[in-house]
Amino acid sequence: MTTKRQRFHPSVILVYFIRNIRSWIFLIFLLFINNNSFFYNALALGGIVLFVLITSLVKYFTHTYQISPERIIVYRGLLKKRETDISYDRIQTIKQRQWFFFKPFNVVEVLIETASTSPGEAEASLSAVDHSLVDTIEQYRNKEYSHENTEENEQGVEKNKIHFALSNKDITLYALTDAKAILILLGIFTFITEWIPEEMFTEVGTVVDYFQGFLIIFLFLFVLFAIALLSLAKNFIKFYRFQSSLKNETLILEYGLFERKVQTIPLSKIQGIRLHKQLVRALFNRSSVELIIMGGQEKEEQGLSSVYLFPLIHNAQVYEELANFLPNIPLQKPLIQKVSQKRLWYFWRWKLLIGIPGIVIGFNVNLLLGIGLSIVLIVVLLLALKATHTQGYTIEDRRILVLQQFQGLSTIQLFIAQKNIQAFVQSTSLWLEKSN
């Protein structure tokens, strides 16, 4: 096995180039919409591309790694050199990513996270290595070299039968009930309104006035269709061929279309789980199960992503599958003690204090604005009412604490073992304290 410093696979240069060019994308976009001089714009674009290419090549020649039976060491830097030294007992999770152009070379990116990892960041990244190196790291990590025998392999095959897969039908249902797509569409609409000339909006307004209600209905249906398409594309790219399995006390999560990701998580590193029961998905008897792991939340463009064990699962199968996948965390359907059903005022007071003056001001400015703010306040109050009937807790077998609350459009149950609880935080105010 290699104990010498190695360079990553040359295909990593393309990865470095793509990631570096992203940081220049806004400036490149400005060059395209700048009509002053084609020659100078092309010259600036060429300069940016050349600079990004040179920095990518420098990164390729200065980033190396070394694997030994004791540790993984990653070297980087040209003028300021840096070494990241990780012993196998510090590793919390190992993730794999495989860009589509890595597949012909059987190459993957390996992200290694430890307990000291900052949220959303891997402590070390092996940017492009042969896939067989992942097995070698796992063997060093599990100290299995001296234990390889036929009996264990047979047990491994048996444990591999614990398997969950997300069908295309489930991905479609998840996408069509994903409220995040609306936020994406709002972001695109805001971007368009910033760059489209006002004259175009005036012309659109004239056409809308001409056709009156018919065009408004058409635009409403078009927006719904666009949201659905966006959500389908986003979630199929993310969850394509999603599968989770349990092998040798380690969970393996695999998913992704253009960028295939594999995450391995030892059962001992799992802190707890969250069960999401979204209002719309509840109509289809479906829930989502999210893992809570130390240092395991991956950072995406819009924040930390969730680590789903089951992105979508039938409610009747939740606890049976959890018992198969997490035998060290005995879970059962909790009997929640509701604690807020007679506390509606505490959930409404700030919303009414801010909302009612806002509605009064809205009606004075514009009738439609006042009606819109009234609808928003009614929705917010109804969601708060739902929260009062949801919030609660229970303790199962003196070992598992279950907290239930309502967030956004979902009832969320947090299951966490007593031994994994680090601390409690209690907060109150003078008025709440007087009211006990």
Side-chain angles (χ1 to χ4, degrees):
M1 182 54 212
T2 179
T3 57
K4 296 181 180 178
R5 290 174 62 165
Q6 303 280 326
R7 282 204 181 96
F8 298 116
H9 191 274
S11 58
V12 75
I13 297 172
L14 183 56
V15 177
Y16 293 152
F17 182 84
I18 292 172
R19 288 176 177 169
N20 289 339
I21 206 74
R22 282 178 183 170
S23 58
W24 293 87
I25 199 70
F26 183 72
L27 182 57
I28 293 173
F29 177 77
L30 291 180
L31 289 175
F32 272 105
I33 63 173
N34 186 355
N35 297 319
N36 290 334
S37 170
F38 174 79
F39 174 75
Y40 287 111
N41 288 342
L43 188 65
L45 180 61
I48 292 173
V49 171
L50 182 62
F51 176 76
V52 170
L53 180 61
I54 291 174
T55 54
S56 301
L57 287 171
V58 169
K59 198 171 182 181
Y60 168 70
F61 285 107
T62 56
H63 282 208
T64 56
Y65 69 98
Q66 185 176 2
I67 304 290
S68 71
E70 293 78 27
R71 54 183 36 85
I72 300 169
I73 306 175
V74 179
Y75 305 88
R76 58 179 175 172
L78 178 61
L79 300 177
K80 184 180 179 181
K81 297 183 181 299
R82 182 178 175 182
E83 293 182 16
T84 303
D85 188 323
I86 303 174
S87 57
Y88 293 104
D89 59 348
R90 291 180 53 220
I91 294 176
Q92 293 275 10
T93 60
I94 295 177
K95 298 177 182 175
Q96 299 173 52
R97 290 176 175 172
Q98 188 177 48
W99 292 74
F100 63 92
F101 50 84
F102 276 178
K103 288 184 179 178
F105 309 107
N106 197 29
V107 168
V108 295
E109 179 184 10
V110 180
L111 302 171
I112 299 169
E113 296 177 341
T114 68
S116 58
T117 300
S118 300
E121 295 180 359
E123 181 159 345
S125 169
L126 304 178
S127 303
V129 295
D130 190 89
H131 189 271
S132 62
L133 194 63
V134 177
D135 296 330
T136 303
I137 292 174
E138 287 290 355
Q139 287 173 338
Y140 281 141
R141 182 187 182 193
N142 296 323
K143 304 183 187 306
E144 290 181 345
Y145 273 125
S146 59
H147 303 296
E148 291 181 349
N149 54 60
T150 305
E151 182 181 354
E152 185 168 301
N153 288 337
E154 289 175 353
Q155 290 176 356
V157 171
E158 185 68 25
K159 291 178 180 178
N160 251 341
K161 290 182 179 178
I162 299 176
H163 181 267
F164 171 86
L166 197 65
S167 66
N168 289 340
K169 184 179 177 182
D170 287 334
I171 298 176
T172 302
L173 178 58
Y174 186 97
L176 296 179
T177 55
D178 187 3
K180 291 179 182 175
I182 299 175
L183 299 178
I184 295 174
L185 193 71
L186 287 175
I188 294 174
F189 178 76
T190 304
F191 180 80
I192 291 174
T193 54
E194 287 291 326
W195 292 98
I196 289 183
E198 282 190 27
E199 295 80 12
M200 186 173 293
F201 279 105
T202 305
E203 292 177 6
V204 171
T206 305
V207 175
V208 169
D209 290 339
Y210 181 77
F211 287 99
Q212 296 184 341
F214 294 106
L215 192 55
I216 293 175
I217 294 172
F218 172 77
L219 288 175
F220 177 73
L221 294 176
F222 177 78
V223 169
L224 285 182
F225 183 68
I227 291 173
L229 279 184
L230 271 174
S231 187
L232 283 168
K234 169 178 169 283
N235 286 289
F236 264 95
I237 291 172
K238 180 178 180 181
F239 289 123
Y240 180 69
R241 289 176 57 202
F242 178 97
Q243 52 187 327
S244 52
S245 57
L246 177 65
K247 179 182 179 182
N248 298 333
E249 305 295 322
T250 300
L251 284 175
I252 304 170
L253 310 178
E254 188 174 351
Y255 52 95
L257 178 59
F258 298 116
E259 188 183 11
R260 197 73 184 155
K261 298 180 180 178
V262 179
Q263 186 168 354
T264 58
I265 309 166
L267 291 182
S268 59
K269 305 299 182 185
I270 295 173
Q271 307 292 304
I273 71 159
R274 284 194 189 94
L275 180 60
H276 297 257
K277 299 179 180 178
Q278 198 231 51
L279 284 177
V280 181
R281 289 171 188 157
L283 300 175
F284 300 92
N285 289 318
R286 297 293 194 280
S287 301
S288 302
V289 177
E290 177 190 355
L291 296 174
I292 301 173
I293 48 180
M294 188 175 294
Q297 265 66 15
E298 182 180 357
K299 192 174 185 179
E300 290 189 344
E301 292 180 1
Q302 296 177 348
L304 299 180
S305 68
S306 300
V307 180
Y308 284 115
L309 179 61
F310 313 130
L312 202 65
I313 185 172
H314 197 284
N315 289 340
Q317 298 175 322
V318 170
Y319 294 100
E320 179 184 350
E321 291 291 350
L322 283 174
N324 292 331
F325 276 85
L326 306 175
N328 58 333
I329 306 178
L331 301 178
Q332 55 187 347
K333 189 174 182 178
L335 296 174
I336 299 294
Q337 300 180 42
K338 306 292 179 59
V339 295
S340 306
Q341 288 182 323
K342 297 181 181 178
R343 308 282 182 178
L344 182 59
W345 169 246
Y346 294 103
F347 287 76
W348 275 11
R349 65 192 195 285
W350 289 110
K351 298 172 178 64
L352 291 172
L353 186 64
I354 298 172
I356 291 177
I359 290 173
V360 173
I361 295 172
F363 274 112
N364 283 316
V365 174
N366 183 282
L367 177 62
L368 291 178
L369 179 61
I371 294 173
L373 290 176
S374 301
I375 294 173
V376 170
L377 181 60
I378 290 172
V379 172
V380 169
L381 293 179
L382 287 175
L383 292 176
L385 176 63
K386 172 69 176 174
T388 62
H389 286 77
T390 302
Q391 189 166 280
Y393 76 98
T394 189
I395 301 174
E396 295 184 342
D397 298 330
R398 295 179 177 271
R399 290 188 296 170
I400 307 293
L401 173 63
V402 185
L403 301 176
Q404 177 173 285
Q405 56 185 325
F406 188 77
Q407 292 181 348
L409 296 175
S410 300
T411 297
I412 299 176
Q413 292 179 341
L414 168 66
F415 297 78
I416 187 165
Q418 182 188 35
K419 61 184 177 62
N420 294 331
I421 296 174
Q422 305 291 322
F424 279 100
V425 177
Q426 179 179 337
S427 63
T428 185
S429 66
L430 289 175
W431 298 275
L432 291 177
E433 192 172 17
K434 288 179 181 177
S435 303
N436 195 26

